[in-house]
Every structure is written in structure tokens, then in C-alpha cells.
């Protein structure tokens, strides 16, 4: 029955090739080191570069690919299962989802999974809300869940507690407790900060803030200790 099944194509995608390989490497190690599973690998077709691909004897595949350059390394492929690792850190996530990812699943009616640490309340958070019942954006075709690192029995709780002591409350909530810190109080949104880093601006002048009335004006002097700019 195994040999006669239609090949199943799965891919683990992330914002970097190294991140995408983490799951792939663990799967490869498990298959390679387990005698009862090793036989299902087609070693002649399995490759490590340029895109790591485990090929099974029925021609099913598990790939690892990067989402860089607007998803160009995903084009021309179709998948039964698409897992996007650390999706919260993908810039222009919704654009990539609509322009590239969805059509990779169309031919096979595939499934799409996002697994990620939160990144405040950005586009990934909006996708997360679609899987939560009772929210205005709830989509019955979506399912979401989150959890604390303390729920993982394979992670040292003492180490987590030590790390948490040195974190801000927001970062502890995000990186350890599996929550989404509220970024509504920020002066600049994440998208605005990303936009500025993408620009080639040369700031020749400083804007000095008047300590008496709080107004700002351009000045041509070097910053002085104690001044606000």
C-alpha cells in the first residue's frame, strides 16, 4: 500500500535557510539513525543542497526552503503540507501569503500551518485571531493555540525562570509565556520602523527639543550632554 500511494509533498519554510533546516535536520537524523525507519529513505535521491530534500521510496518528499526574496524559492512547487516556521518575523507576511503561499497548496488542496514565537501584534497576530472562537475575525477553517514554555517538560524550568528574571514583562510574555504583548502604546509601529531601515536617508541635522516648552527645531550643532534631540 505504501508504494502505491500518491507521493506526499511537505515543506518546512522559514525566514532563513538555517531556521528552515532545524525541523528538516531532526527528521533526517531520526530516519537515518533508526533502523526500522531508515529503509523508507531513497538515499540516491535525497540531497542536502541547494534545498535540503528527503525523498522517500514512494517518491514522497520533505523539503526545507527559505521565504527570502519575496518567496522566489517557493515558486513552481506544490505541496500537501506547508509549515511556516517563525512566521511572525516575516516582513510583509500577508503579501507573501496571498502572492505566493496560497497557490502552492491549490493543486493538492494542501494544509497550511504557522508555528512561531509572537512578534507583538503584527500581521501574524491577525492570522492567529482567525483561529480563536469568539473573535470578530474568526474563520471556522482555522485553528489557533498557544502555550507557555513552562508547559514543555523537556526544557529546564530553572533555566526559564533565570532567563525570565532578566526580561521585560512584555518580552517574558512573548518569548516564554506564548502571549502577544500589546504594542498599541508604541510611538512607531513595526512597519514604520522597517520602512525607515529600508531607506537610504542621510540625516545631516539634529532636531533639538526645547526643555521649556517641548517644541523641536533643527539645529546644526553637535549633540551636547544632557540635551534632548
Amino acid at each position: 500500500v505504501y508504494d502505491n500511494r500518491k507521493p506526499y509533498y511537505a515543506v518546512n519554510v522559514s525566514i532563513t535557510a538555517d531556521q528552515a533546516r532545524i525541523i528538516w535536520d531532526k527528521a533526517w537524523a531520526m530516519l537515518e539513525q533508526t533502523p526500522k525507519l531508515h529503509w523508507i529513505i531513497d538515499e540516491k535521491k535525497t540531497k542536502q543542497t541547494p534545498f535540503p530534500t528527503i525523498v522517500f521510496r514512494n517518491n514522497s518528499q520533505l523539503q526545507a526552503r527559505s521565504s527570502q526574496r519575496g518567496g522566489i524559492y517557493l515558486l513552481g512547487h506544490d505541496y500537501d503540507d506547508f509549515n511556516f516556521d517563525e512566521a511572525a518575523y516575516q516582513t510583509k507576511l500577508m503579501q507573501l501569503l496571498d502572492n505566493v503561499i496560497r497557490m502552492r497548496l491549490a493543486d493538492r488542496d494542501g494544509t497550511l500551518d504557522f508555528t512561531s514565537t509572537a512578534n507583538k501584534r503584527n500581521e501574524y497576530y491577525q492570522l492567529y485571531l482567525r483561529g480563536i472562537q469568539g473573535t470578530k475575525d474568526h474563520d471556522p477553517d482555522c485553528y489557533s493555540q498557544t502555550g507557555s514554555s513552562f508547559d514543555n517538560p523537556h526544557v529546564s524550568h530553572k533555566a526559564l525562570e533565570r532567563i525570565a528574571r532578566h526580561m521585560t514583562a512584555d518580552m517574558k510574555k512573548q518569548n516564554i509565556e506564548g502571549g502577544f504583548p500589546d504594542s498599541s502604546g508604541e510611538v512607531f509601529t513595526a512597519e514604520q520602523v522597517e520602512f525607515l531601515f529600508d531607506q537610504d536617508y542621510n540625516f545631516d541635522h539634529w532636531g533639538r527639543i526645547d526643555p521649556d516648552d517641548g517644541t523641536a527645531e533643527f539645529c546644526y550643532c553637535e549633540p551636547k550632554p544632557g540635551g534632548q534631540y
Side-chain angles (χ1 to χ4, degrees):
V1 176
Y2 171 83
D3 290 331
N4 293 329
R5 291 191 62 185
K6 180 182 178 181
Y8 186 91
Y9 294 161
V11 64
N12 189 62
V13 174
S14 193
I15 52 178
T16 66
D18 286 345
Q19 182 70 33
R21 281 198 63 138
I22 292 176
I23 298 298
W24 189 93
D25 284 338
K26 289 185 179 296
W28 169 248
M30 180 185 68
L31 293 167
E32 180 74 1
Q33 298 169 14
T34 306
K36 291 183 178 181
L37 295 176
H38 181 76
W39 70 272
I40 68 175
I41 303 172
D42 188 331
E43 293 197 64
K44 292 182 178 180
K45 295 181 180 178
T46 294
K47 59 183 181 180
Q48 297 273 348
T49 58
F51 303 105
T53 304
I54 299 172
V55 181
F56 298 87
R57 290 188 180 273
N58 72 336
N59 288 319
S60 294
Q61 297 183 8
L62 172 61
Q63 301 178 5
R65 288 181 177 263
S66 162
S67 61
Q68 289 297 309
R69 298 182 62 193
I72 194 172
Y73 303 118
L74 303 171
L75 297 176
H77 299 271
D78 56 303
Y79 299 103
D80 295 280
D81 182 71
F82 188 112
N83 182 65
F84 200 146
D85 193 15
E86 296 299 356
Y89 292 85
Q90 172 68 48
T91 58
K92 300 179 181 178
L93 175 59
M94 296 303 295
Q95 180 176 317
L96 181 67
L97 176 61
D98 291 339
N99 288 354
V100 179
I101 296 176
R102 293 191 192 279
M103 296 311 296
R104 307 284 70 77
L105 303 169
D107 289 346
R108 293 173 171 265
D109 194 19
T111 58
L112 173 60
D113 300 307
F114 292 103
T115 54
S116 183
T117 303
N119 187 14
K120 299 188 177 178
R121 298 189 178 182
N122 59 2
E123 290 182 328
Y124 176 76
Y125 176 66
Q126 302 305 317
L127 290 174
Y128 167 79
L129 292 178
R130 295 183 186 183
I132 301 298
Q133 292 188 0
T135 63
K136 63 181 180 64
D137 296 321
H138 178 245
D139 182 339
D141 292 330
C142 299
Y143 170 77
S144 299
Q145 73 173 54
T146 185
S148 170
S149 296
F150 286 103
D151 297 334
N152 187 344
H154 303 290
V155 178
S156 169
H157 287 193
K158 287 185 178 180
L160 289 175
E161 290 169 354
R162 182 174 63 254
I163 293 170
R165 286 198 298 269
H166 299 283
M167 286 182 167
T168 64
D170 278 354
M171 290 300 97
K172 178 184 176 183
K173 180 178 181 180
Q174 174 174 289
N175 296 316
I176 293 181
E177 298 174 354
F180 292 85
D182 182 7
S183 56
S184 61
E186 294 181 343
V187 177
F188 301 106
T189 66
E191 290 75 14
Q192 290 170 330
V193 173
E194 288 172 4
F195 173 80
L196 288 174
F197 274 104
D198 287 340
Q199 310 308 306
D200 187 22
Y201 288 135
N202 180 19
F203 293 98
D204 294 325
H205 313 307
W206 297 88
R208 181 179 180 277
I209 299 177
D210 190 300
D212 296 324
D213 59 16
T215 59
E217 60 180 11
F218 283 115
C219 64
Y220 297 88
C221 60
E222 289 295 319
K224 297 179 181 179
Q228 296 184 15
Y229 298 89

